[in-house]
Amino acid sequence: MAPPDFESYAAARRLQLRRVAYLLCDDWDRAEDLVQDALARLYVHWRRAARADDIDAYVRRTLVNAYLADQRRPWRRHIVTATVPDTPVPGPEPSRRDELRAALASLGASQRAVVVLRHWEGLSVEETAAALNCSTGNVKSQSARGLARLREVLAADENDGAEVS
Amino acid sequence: MDDDVRGALATLLEPEPAMRSTVADDVRRGRALRMRRQRWLAGGVAAALVLGIAGLVGVPRMAGGPLPTPGAVTGLPSAAAPSTAASAVQLIGYWRVTGTEDDGAILQFGSRDSTTAFVLWRRCGGAIGDWRLSPSGAMVMSSWTGLSRGSECRGRPGALSPRVPWLDEVIALQPDRTGYLLLSPSRTVVAGLVPAERSDIEPDAGPTDVMADLPAATDADRHALTAAAPPGSQPLDPSELVGRWTPHGPAPAHLELAGDGTYSGAGGCGHGRGRWTIDAAGVLIATGSPPVAADCATPEAPSVWAWVWLAEARGARLTGQTLALLGPDGRVLGTLTRQA
């Protein structure tokens, strides 16, 4: 089968790539930036990438690398300030979705990437390790710790549901 | 548990907003990135050709005012004008923009392997385009795509716009005490350029990691930046070329040279646009942009992209209603007939 052209590939995959990127960074705009950066890099190397056995793996690795590199940039770091911004008005109790988002946000960048690739993209340990350029052992330990954190949220939610019923 | 996690992650994706960019944007950004990496494929066609260097002369302004006379800019200290060669080569680098709506932005001029490009780094976002400078100091610039950093630029209206209106006014480059001045056809100062450093680029401006580095200019760059009018070219007035031209060939195509210094062209499945002019010495210069559509040529009807000839040309020869566009070595890149 002839390899796809870049436009066809990008059209078919950019939405899914943005979802992965969003789960990594929790910001739709930033997710689109990451996808654009990844696809721009893919375009540059398209001839080589199109011949690869798994183009998805190539672009996924590019996307995750872009995310991790972005996370390391100074302006992504939290800034300590002497002044406190507006005080939030007390609102409704956080939903399960909010808690899940907070749980994901509490994971480190690599740990979050492992969780998303393993449990959203459905990659194997080996594929995840290849995407993150790390060992399978590292993937397993990161995945276990990340899942443990999410499990706390999901379990609490299930318990809440049981109490209600 | 896996299904639970996947289902939980799925809930985070809702509601999912529409994508603000298109595949065409992906292609444009990919081309821009490839250009910055100087990895134009040989035959990859028109992108390299369109961006092929040619010096640029003042853009004619048939409707907007008198035609510029590159090399004889008035109202400014002409004694300050250095040799053109020095100007073109020395412009490669980083400059802080002053006196425009983009005051403080960093303008990065690059040239490599006969390919010119600029990047305007705003505080947030920016634009990518092409620049040409003639030996007499005339200059044109045009932007062809924006730099997107939506997540960083949220709440800053216009930060993502690829449009840089003041660049369209630029017709000449004039040295001054602190750097350079970009001039309009009426000889007013469009913008000032003050020397800057790469580190002056705002880190949030865009993909600085892949686009903000400048390769050193090569001898080929210097030659391309300083080339004179090719043999066989005529010192034509830009007004002589204004109109719609049809390239010789079996497929429908055209090149429209407008009196305001812009041009547009179409052929096959592609089209292009930019700015052009001819200076008093006969040097033709035109900015280029990557084709925005794939070539759909067939052996029976090869596409003709006359705007690529224009962007690659360094001179022109007009014989009756036939226009020949000449490369830096005097070779005829293509011929066109004036459309009635």
Side-chain angles (χ1 to χ4, degrees):
Chain A
M1 189 176 70
D5 60 82
F6 174 82
E7 287 85 350
S8 302
Y9 177 82
R13 298 293 293 146
R14 60 203 310 274
L15 200 59
Q16 177 59 17
L17 286 170
R18 191 180 65 153
R19 289 174 182 153
V20 173
Y22 174 77
L23 291 175
L24 290 173
C25 70
D26 195 25
D27 182 316
W28 285 112
D29 285 327
R30 195 176 154 212
E32 191 151 342
D33 286 346
L34 289 171
V35 172
Q36 287 176 8
D37 286 351
L39 288 175
R41 285 174 168 83
L42 178 68
Y43 181 91
V44 171
H45 300 294
W46 179 249
R47 282 192 176 182
R48 190 177 63 198
R51 290 195 300 268
D53 293 336
D54 190 346
I55 304 175
D56 287 346
Y58 183 96
V59 71
R60 194 184 294 120
R61 186 164 57 247
T62 306
L63 180 73
V64 173
N65 285 342
Y67 160 70
L68 293 175
D70 215 26
Q71 286 296 110
R72 287 192 289 268
R73 288 174 181 162
W75 64 91
R76 293 286 184 208
R77 294 174 190 150
H78 294 291
I79 298 171
V80 177
T81 175
T83 56
V84 181
D86 293 345
T87 305
V89 176
E93 288 298 311
S95 66
R96 176 203 191 205
R97 196 162 170 270
D98 295 331
E99 291 173 351
L100 185 65
R101 173 173 284 119
L104 260 183
S106 71
L107 305 182
S110 299
Q111 207 170 66
R112 183 169 181 152
V114 167
V115 169
V116 171
L117 293 179
R118 288 276 289 124
H119 301 282
W120 173 255
E121 282 285 86
L123 301 190
S124 66
V125 170
E126 290 74 21
E127 288 168 332
T128 304
L132 294 170
N133 195 28
C134 66
S135 68
T136 55
N138 193 16
V139 169
K140 288 175 184 173
S141 61
Q142 297 270 31
S143 179
R145 284 198 289 269
L147 273 185
R149 178 72 191 98
L150 296 184
R151 192 173 287 128
E152 290 174 17
V153 175
L154 296 174
D157 185 69
E158 285 169 7
N159 291 338
D160 291 346
E163 287 169 10
V164 169
S165 60
Chain B
M1 181 66 200
D2 280 1
D3 287 344
D4 286 351
V5 173
R6 183 177 168 78
L9 293 175
T11 64
L12 296 179
L13 295 170
E14 299 168 355
E16 184 173 357
M19 292 193 80
R20 53 184 161 77
S21 63
T22 65
V23 174
D25 293 325
D26 296 332
V27 172
R28 274 193 287 271
R29 289 191 175 83
R31 283 177 174 147
L33 176 58
R34 187 167 64 184
M35 180 187 67
R36 288 298 309 135
R37 293 180 173 189
Q38 290 81 47
R39 288 185 183 178
W40 294 98
L41 303 175
V45 234
L49 296 178
V50 175
L51 291 169
I53 192 163
L56 184 61
V57 181
V59 177
R61 289 203 152 243
M62 303 302 288
L67 291 176
T69 309
V73 176
T74 57
L76 289 161
S78 57
S83 75
T84 312
S87 295
V89 174
Q90 290 172 3
L91 197 60
I92 295 174
Y94 308 94
W95 302 87
R96 186 176 296 282
V97 176
T98 63
T100 76
E101 63 210 63
D102 284 315
D103 201 35
I106 303 298
L107 192 51
Q108 170 188 337
F109 290 98
S111 176
R112 182 65 183 270
D113 298 338
S114 298
T115 297
T116 51
F118 73 80
V119 182
L120 177 71
W121 300 98
R122 294 183 170 114
R123 287 187 60 80
C124 198
I128 305 169
D130 194 16
W131 64 283
R132 303 295 164 89
L133 183 67
S134 83
S136 59
M139 185 175 191
V140 288
M141 304 176 71
S142 60
S143 62
W144 42 263
T145 192
L147 282 172
S148 169
R149 275 294 181 189
S151 56
E152 305 294 347
C153 304
R154 206 159 35 198
R156 303 185 199 182
L160 298 180
S161 171
R163 287 271 299 128
V164 189
W166 57 269
L167 285 182
D168 293 341
E169 299 296 316
V170 174
I171 200 170
L173 180 76
Q174 168 73 50
D176 79 343
R177 289 188 301 276
T178 57
Y180 289 98
L181 301 174
L182 299 173
L183 305 177
S184 74
S186 59
R187 307 297 189 269
T188 57
V189 176
V190 175
L193 301 178
V194 180
E197 303 288 338
R198 186 195 187 289
S199 57
D200 293 327
I201 298 171
E202 291 285 337
D204 282 0
T208 53
D209 54 332
V210 293
M211 298 191 68
D213 293 326
L214 272 175
T218 63
D219 288 343
D221 296 329
R222 294 188 181 87
H223 177 73
L225 287 165
T226 57
S233 62
Q234 299 168 332
L236 298 167
D237 187 285
S239 62
E240 296 180 75
L241 302 190
V242 171
R244 191 179 176 93
W245 299 85
T246 305
H248 298 173
H254 77 269
L255 174 67
E256 181 128 21
L257 303 174
D260 65 357
T262 63
Y263 74 82
S264 61
C269 297
H271 59 88
R273 60 181 63 247
R275 305 189 69 83
W276 70 284
T277 195
I278 300 180
D279 75 0
V283 177
L284 185 155
I285 45 179
T287 58
S289 64
V292 296
D295 189 1
C296 58
T298 65
E300 296 75 30
S303 293
V304 177
W305 290 352
W307 74 94
V308 173
W309 299 338
L310 182 70
E312 193 188 23
R314 194 66 170 179
R317 186 171 59 237
L318 186 61
T319 309
Q321 299 301 307
T322 300
L323 173 66
L325 296 173
L326 309 177
D329 57 357
R331 183 172 58 91
V332 176
L333 302 173
T335 54
L336 305 102
T337 303
R338 189 187 294 275
Q339 219 171 48

